[in-house]
């Protein structure tokens, strides 16, 4: 070991050298950067430092000097990708620099003795986010994020791509003085004067991610306090370090009793059972060497990996602090390898290893910068970085190389993939700023074949023939001609607006002295002109809870991106008129008793109800409830229970027998709400919003004959806007009614179901089931009846058939578990039962599970469950790409019927998000998933579960894709497919990528004898054309997936052949269809 201390290696001043607070070595080992109290960053050539004693060396010493800070610079760090340099100072600013490849200015700064710069480092970004000094910085292993900490107790996370602020963490209670990153890219740890180290878990953000995308990222994992309970608060830094194998954190300024020490914190358990003792004063900085070491020199076979044996590896750590001593330790010795006393005249502020671990640079507050060069065997024998990657692999570190490009076609495919992501990011920012729609959004509309971005709405151009014309590069004549008038109208409107804007720009006004002036035009975006495409914080409301069980519509959402403080006391009137008005004089109250009573009420915290009038405030007067405005629902009696329930293992609650049952249809013809006890003939009811109403009246009094065994018939009537359309009488009491534009149905107390046509004609003989119906729902031509013993019947009223035999709910209610126990226990309960447009049964339970029945395989399929909610990274019920899918059956997206069939373009949209929202509401929001969350959290840090989070997330996307195919959900299938392609491409799963592309291609390029086996006939809407998959042309799906995967060079051996077949390799225009992510 030898020391290097050149005289020129300093931040010199007029009288003395400035204090040097930080240093760092570039990833290529060619540059050393130092930061000092003179406000300068100086970049030195490490080659010149190593050759300081060589008089024949004539290379440059100082490569560059920057002084963009207005104060003392406390920290400086190179990014691991060697692209950026970041610094933080006491001016509360973080500066990011980049190396300009152009030649540097050969002139030095006027009035200084600075040597001319050799490299051209330019200020790239100034990051403002701290309220006090910035003490330390750190980059993630993949350079995706930059984290800064400071004396304002804040931890600020910046994007490593755009340098936007992603999140501010305020978990610490005092100054934060240290930061280190996990080399496996899973955690980062911060050290603070609140005598704790906090470990945060994070997922590397995407290049175009925003603050909203990271709401659930950068979460506190644990807080470590034990080794720091009595640590002194006199240190300037608490710079900790993470070992290169990812197993330990070296924490500075720890204590072992009364002795200063360095605490070694174990990963996963986050406890400290080892402390390094030997320093006489607090330790301020620790630094692990970037390489692992072996005790003995590796043999040639070990170096080549021929013998297959793993050498015993150790880590090396350097520690220094206020005692001006430097110690170097490794994990195989109980004592330090070297101790260097009085290395500097003042405290040592920072340590920096070279990438090859053969050099160590030390900076001190006395202004000195010292280099230590180690010979082979001094610290051990350094091994290659592949040993680091092998050690980090058990923690899920996925470091993949750049890969080799598969020829010029690979470059074209990679450029198109990156251009699609760039258009997507620019389109989002353009929409936010009110620009024209981006090419990504235009390509998305073109890809889906209609104006709806999710592909749900059917247009003339979405037929299979039109898609073929589009795929062949031809224009669709019919669609173009039909859209021509719309385009002309838009152009005319734009011209009119442009002319109006031009007149406003040239408006002439006159000043007081008679001079002419052009009035300035305020340039501002109207809130109604553009709508930001950025995701917004949303909250599921209860406004549509009554409709959620009867339609495929997602819940409505409230925008919580802006603060809402509610209304002041006095309500909306107080908000508009103020709440400090005096009480109006009351003639009958000369002693102001009303005012005193109201004042006494306000002292108890209550809000008195007041009314504004022209004289002031007055107490509100009570008013009598209008007669016959609301009729209380009348329960005649509980329904008669069928004896079969006494021996059935499934028992569902039977609704009570009501005197009056009313169900209304909305404007689109779908049943919307159940109105209990409302009068359909009373004009005061909300008949203006209801087109058609079906009502059933059960007899309440004795029979007209007077005999006890006789009873009057029940009456069924359908009215439209108060006018009776038809009526019928049934000899039995009615429990449930339902209907839509196609038919009407009623379920009776003894277990019979009566069906009428739209005009009131009996469609069938009375259908009799084994027990009382408890659920009666309809969808299109489909009718669902669930009985009290858990049997589900589905009938197609149009074809007078059933897609499958009656199916029991027993399998999904865990009957096998609850019925075999010695004492009866309650199982999960059914919260909703519905049908989709293809007649699939959709069931949700109060344990969070969501099921659908497969009529082709005669089995229940679990679509949603709490396991995905706590284990998948894609569980986000307010995801804009999923939540914005237009539901079938709402607004303009009503069921489109042709020859009695539901349109393929409008099937089942919103079912999967609905089931996942139910899981969130039943499990996460009610706290039922607490123990499952604890289990998953403990598994993430256990050995053997390194890829747990990735595996569960990929499996969740595969589950979504399978559910979308089973339900025939066209819009959701495309969204989930592209999300899945993006994830498996990022993870480098070559087997799954190859299998996915082969599955999507299907019968397009296979031999004729394999087409029948390759074509899926059930539930995906491709009975008419084998080129369709779940309603989408297979070629379009393959094209979108190839564009997503094209940027990954390690997958180009798989993707390039497909791109050649699709013609993407020849398309150099860059106008390919944009991806949907």
């Amino acid at each position: 070991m030898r020391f290097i201390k050149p005289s020129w290696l300093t931040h010199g001043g007029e009288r003395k050298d400035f204090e040097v607070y930080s240093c760092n070595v570039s990833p290529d080992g060619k540059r050393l950067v130092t930061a000092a109290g003179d406000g300068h960053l100086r970049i030195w050539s490490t080659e010149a430092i190593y050759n300081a004693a060589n008089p024949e060396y004539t290379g440059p010493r100082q490569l560059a000097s920057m002084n963009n800070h207005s104060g003392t610079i406390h920290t400086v760090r190179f990014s691991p990708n060697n692209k950026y340099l970041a610094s933080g100072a006491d001016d509360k600013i973080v500066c990011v620099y980049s190396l300009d490849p152009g030649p540097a200015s050969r002139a030095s700064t006027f009035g200084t003795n600075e040597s001319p710069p050799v490299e051209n480092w330019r200020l790239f970004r100034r990051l403002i986010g701290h309220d006090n000094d910035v003490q330390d910085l750190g980059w993630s292993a993949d350079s995706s994020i930059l984290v800064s900490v400071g004396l304002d107790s804040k931890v600020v996370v910046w994007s490593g791509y755009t340098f936007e602020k992603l999140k501010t963490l305020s978990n610490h209670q005092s100054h934060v003085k240290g930061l280190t990153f996990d080399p496996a890219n899973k955690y980062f740890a911060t050290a603070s004067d609140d005598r704790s180290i906090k470990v945060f878990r994070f997922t590397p953000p995407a290049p175009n991610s925003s603050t909203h995308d990271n709401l659930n990222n950068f979460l506190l994992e644990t807080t470590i306090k034990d080794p720091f309970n009595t640590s002194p608060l006199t240190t300037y830094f608490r710079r900790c370090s993470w070992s290169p194998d990812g197993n330990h954190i070296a924490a500075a300024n720890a204590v072992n009793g009364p002795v200063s020490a360095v605490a070694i914190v174990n990963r996963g358990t986050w406890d400290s059972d080892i402390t390094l003792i030997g320093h006489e004063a607090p330790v301020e900085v620790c630094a692990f060497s970037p390489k692992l070491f072996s005790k003995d020199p590796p043999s040639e076979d070990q170096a080549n990996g021929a013998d297959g044996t793993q050498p015993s590896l150790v880590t090396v750590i350097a520690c220094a602090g206020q005692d001006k001593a430097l110690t170097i330790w490794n994990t195989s010795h109980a004592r330090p390898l070297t101790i260097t006393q009085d290395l500097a005249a003042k405290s040592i502020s920072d340590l920096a290893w070279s990438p090859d671990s053969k050099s160590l640079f030390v900076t001190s507050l006395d202004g000195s910068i010292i280099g230590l060069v180690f010979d082979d065997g001094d610290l051990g024998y350094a091994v290659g970085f592949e040993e680091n990657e092998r050690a980090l692999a058990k923690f899920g570190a996925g470091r993949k190389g750049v890969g080799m490009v598969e020829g010029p076609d690979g470059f074209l495919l990679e450029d198109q993939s990156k251009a699609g992501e760039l258009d997507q990011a620019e389109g989002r920012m353009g929409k936010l700023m009110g620009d024209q729609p981006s090419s990504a959004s235009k390509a998305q509309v073109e890809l889906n074949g209609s104006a709806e971005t999710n592909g749900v709405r059917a247009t003339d151009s979405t037929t299979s023939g039109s898609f073929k014309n589009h795929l062949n590069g031809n224009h669709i004549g019919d669609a173009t001609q039909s859209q021509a008038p719309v385009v002309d109208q838009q152009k005319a409107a734009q011209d009119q607006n442009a002319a109006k804007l031009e007149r406003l720009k040239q408006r002439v006004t006159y000043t007081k002295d008679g001079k002419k002036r052009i009035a300035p035009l305020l340039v501002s975006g109207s809130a109604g002109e553009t709508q930001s495409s950025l995701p917004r914080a949303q909250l599921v409301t209860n406004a549509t809870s009554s409709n959620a069980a009867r339609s495929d519509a997602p819940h409505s959402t409230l925008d919580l991106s802006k603060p809402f403080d509610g209304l002041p006391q006095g309500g909306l009137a107080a908000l508009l008129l103020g709440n400090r008005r005096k009480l109006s004089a009351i003639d009958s109250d000369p002693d102001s008793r009303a005012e005193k009573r109201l004042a006494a009420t306000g002292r108890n915290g209550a809000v008195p109800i007041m009314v504004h009038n022209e004289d002031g405030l007055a107490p509100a007067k009570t008013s009598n409830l209008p007669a016959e405005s609301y009729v209380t629902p009348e329960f005649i009696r509980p329904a008669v229970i069928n004896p079969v329930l006494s021996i059935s293992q499934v028992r569902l609650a039977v609704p009570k027998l009501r005197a009056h049952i009313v169900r209304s249809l909305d404007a689109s013809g779908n049943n919307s709400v159940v109105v209990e006890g409302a009068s359909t003939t009373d004009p005061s009811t909300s008949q203006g919003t209801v087109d058609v109403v079906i009502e059933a009246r059960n007899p309440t009094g004795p029979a007209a004959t007077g005999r006890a065994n006789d009873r009057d018939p029940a009456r069924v009537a359908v009215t439209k806007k108060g006018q009776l359309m038809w009526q019928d009488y049934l000899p039995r009491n009615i429990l449930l009614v339902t209907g839509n534009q196609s038919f009407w149905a009623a379920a009776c107390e003894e277990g019979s179901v009566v069906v009428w046509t739209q005009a009131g004609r009996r469609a069938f003989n009375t259908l009799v089931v084994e027990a009382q119906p408890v659920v009666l729902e309809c969808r299109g031509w489909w009718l669902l009846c669930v009985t009290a013993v858990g049997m589900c019947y589905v009938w197609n009223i149009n074809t007078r058939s059933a897609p499958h035999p009656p199916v029991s709910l027993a399998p999904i209610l865990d009957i096998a578990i609850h019925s075999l126990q010695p004492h009866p226990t309650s199982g999960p309960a059914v919260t909703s039962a519905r049908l989709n447009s293809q007649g699939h049964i959709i069931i949700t339970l109060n344990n969070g599970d969501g099921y659908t029945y497969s009529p082709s395989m005669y089995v229940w399929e679990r679509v949603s469950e709490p396991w995905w909610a706590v284990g998948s990274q894609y569980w986000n019920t307010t995801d804009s790409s999923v939540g914005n899918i237009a539901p079938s059956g709402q607004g303009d997206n009503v069921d489109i019927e042709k020859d009695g069939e539901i349109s393929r373009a409008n099937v089942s949209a919103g079912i999967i998000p609905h089931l996942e929202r139910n899981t969130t509401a039943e499990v996460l929001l009610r706290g039922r998933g607490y123990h499952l969350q604890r289990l998953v959290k403990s598994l993430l840090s256990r050995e053997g579960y390194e890829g747990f989070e990735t595996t569960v997330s990929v499996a969740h996307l595969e589950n979504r894709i399978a559910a979308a195919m089973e339900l025939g959900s066209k819009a959701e299938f495309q969204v989930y497919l592209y999300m899945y392609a993006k994830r498996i491409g990022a993870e480098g799963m070559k087997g799954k990528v190859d299998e996915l592309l082969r599955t999507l291609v299907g019968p397009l390029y296979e031999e004729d004898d394999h087409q029948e086996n390759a074509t899926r006939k059930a539930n995906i809407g491709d009975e008419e054309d084998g080129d369709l998959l779940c309603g989408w042309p297979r070629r379009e799906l393959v094209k979108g997936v190839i564009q997503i995967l094209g940027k990954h060079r390690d997958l180009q051996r798989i993707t390039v052949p497909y791109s050649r077949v699709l013609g993407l390799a020849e398309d150099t225009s860059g106008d390919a269809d944009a991806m949907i992510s």
Side-chain angles (χ1 to χ4, degrees), residues 226-237:
D226 289 341
F228 316 102
N229 289 330
T230 59
S231 63
L233 304 179
T234 57
T235 58
Y236 204 78
F237 299 105

Side-chain angles (χ1 to χ4, degrees), residues 645-906:
L645 281 176
S646 60
I647 59 173
S648 174
Q649 292 182 343
V650 180
R651 305 176 186 178
L652 303 181
V654 181
K656 294 182 179 180
L657 188 63
R658 300 176 182 270
H660 191 196
I661 306 172
V662 179
R663 193 154 190 175
S664 61
L665 305 187
D666 55 19
S668 62
N670 295 314
N671 49 72
S672 56
V673 294
V674 177
V675 185
E676 302 291 354
S679 175
T680 59
T681 60
D682 187 1
S684 63
T685 58
S686 57
Q687 286 289 323
T689 60
V690 176
D691 289 340
V692 183
V693 173
I694 178 173
E695 58 177 333
R697 293 183 179 273
N698 291 315
T700 57
T705 60
R707 297 181 64 240
N709 294 332
D710 294 343
R711 55 186 175 185
D712 293 338
R715 178 177 178 268
V716 179
V718 174
T719 58
K720 183 175 182 180
K721 297 183 178 180
Q723 299 296 324
L724 180 66
M725 296 178 59
W726 61 267
Q727 64 179 356
D728 198 353
Y729 295 92
L730 300 180
R732 298 169 181 86
N733 291 322
I734 299 174
L735 290 179
L736 303 167
V737 294
T738 188
N740 54 24
Q741 290 181 335
S742 302
F743 64 91
W744 310 95
C748 298
E749 184 180 14
E750 90 292 354
S752 61
V753 178
V754 183
V755 181
W756 297 272
T757 63
Q758 187 177 10
R761 179 176 57 87
R762 293 285 184 106
F764 303 107
N765 296 329
T766 301
L767 308 177
V768 181
V769 293
E770 72 279 353
Q772 289 87 355
V774 298
V775 175
L776 194 66
E777 291 291 336
C778 62
R779 178 77 175 169
W781 282 106
W782 299 98
L783 177 64
L784 169 66
C785 176
V786 182
T787 65
V789 295
M791 297 299 294
C792 300
Y793 294 83
V794 178
W795 301 295
N796 189 315
I797 306 302
N798 186 37
T799 60
R800 303 173 64 89
S801 62
H804 52 77
V807 57
S808 175
L809 293 176
I812 66 175
L813 295 178
D814 298 337
I815 296 300
I817 298 177
H818 296 278
S819 63
L820 298 180
Q821 296 181 1
H823 301 286
T825 58
S826 60
V830 178
T831 56
S832 70
R834 63 163 67 179
L835 291 169
N836 77 332
S837 303
Q838 287 187 329
H840 290 72
I841 306 174
I842 310 295
I843 301 292
T844 61
L845 306 180
N846 63 351
N847 63 357
D849 290 350
Y851 295 87
T852 182
Y853 187 77
S854 173
S856 59
M857 296 190 295
Y858 300 106
V859 70
W860 288 101
E861 294 184 3
R862 185 184 292 113
V863 177
S864 178
E865 58 180 317
W867 176 252
W868 307 125
V870 299
S872 173
Q873 296 172 333
Y874 292 92
W875 190 269
N876 183 10
T877 54
T878 60
D879 190 344
S880 59
S881 62
V882 179
N884 291 339
I885 292 179
S888 57
Q890 260 199 352
D892 296 334
N893 298 320
V894 298
D895 293 337
I896 303 172
E897 299 180 15
K898 183 178 181 181
D899 299 332
E901 297 296 332
I902 302 297
S903 170
R904 181 181 300 166
N906 185 23

Side-chain angles (χ1 to χ4, degrees), residues 576-595:
L576 299 176
L577 304 177
N579 54 6
R580 295 187 176 276
R581 302 185 67 192
K582 295 183 179 180
L583 289 172
S584 60
I586 303 177
D587 298 337
S588 60
D589 188 14
D591 298 333
S592 301
R593 295 179 181 178
E595 183 176 356

Side-chain angles (χ1 to χ4, degrees), residues 576-624:
L576 299 176
L577 304 177
N579 54 6
R580 295 187 176 276
R581 302 185 67 192
K582 295 183 179 180
L583 289 172
S584 60
I586 303 177
D587 298 337
S588 60
D589 188 14
D591 298 333
S592 301
R593 295 179 181 178
E595 183 176 356
K596 295 177 182 178
R597 184 173 65 254
L598 294 175
T601 304
R603 296 191 194 99
N604 298 329
V607 180
I609 302 175
M610 307 295 293
V611 175
H612 284 276
N613 54 32
E614 60 275 7
D615 298 326
L617 293 175
K621 297 181 180 180
T622 59
S623 59
N624 297 325

Side-chain angles (χ1 to χ4, degrees), residues 94-124:
V94 175
C95 290
V96 180
Y97 305 87
S98 63
L99 179 60
D100 194 334
S105 173
R106 304 304 300 175
S108 59
T109 306
F110 178 76
T112 65
N113 295 325
E114 295 285 341
S115 58
V118 179
E119 296 181 342
N120 190 11
W121 287 85
R122 295 187 178 275
L123 181 64
F124 185 72

Side-chain angles (χ1 to χ4, degrees), residues 993-1001 1038 1041-1042 1054-1055 1058:
V993 169
D994 189 21
E995 187 179 58
L996 174 65
L997 291 174
R998 290 178 180 272
T999 305
L1000 292 179
V1001 169
V1038 177
V1041 171
I1042 288 296
I1054 303 174
T1055 57
Y1058 289 93

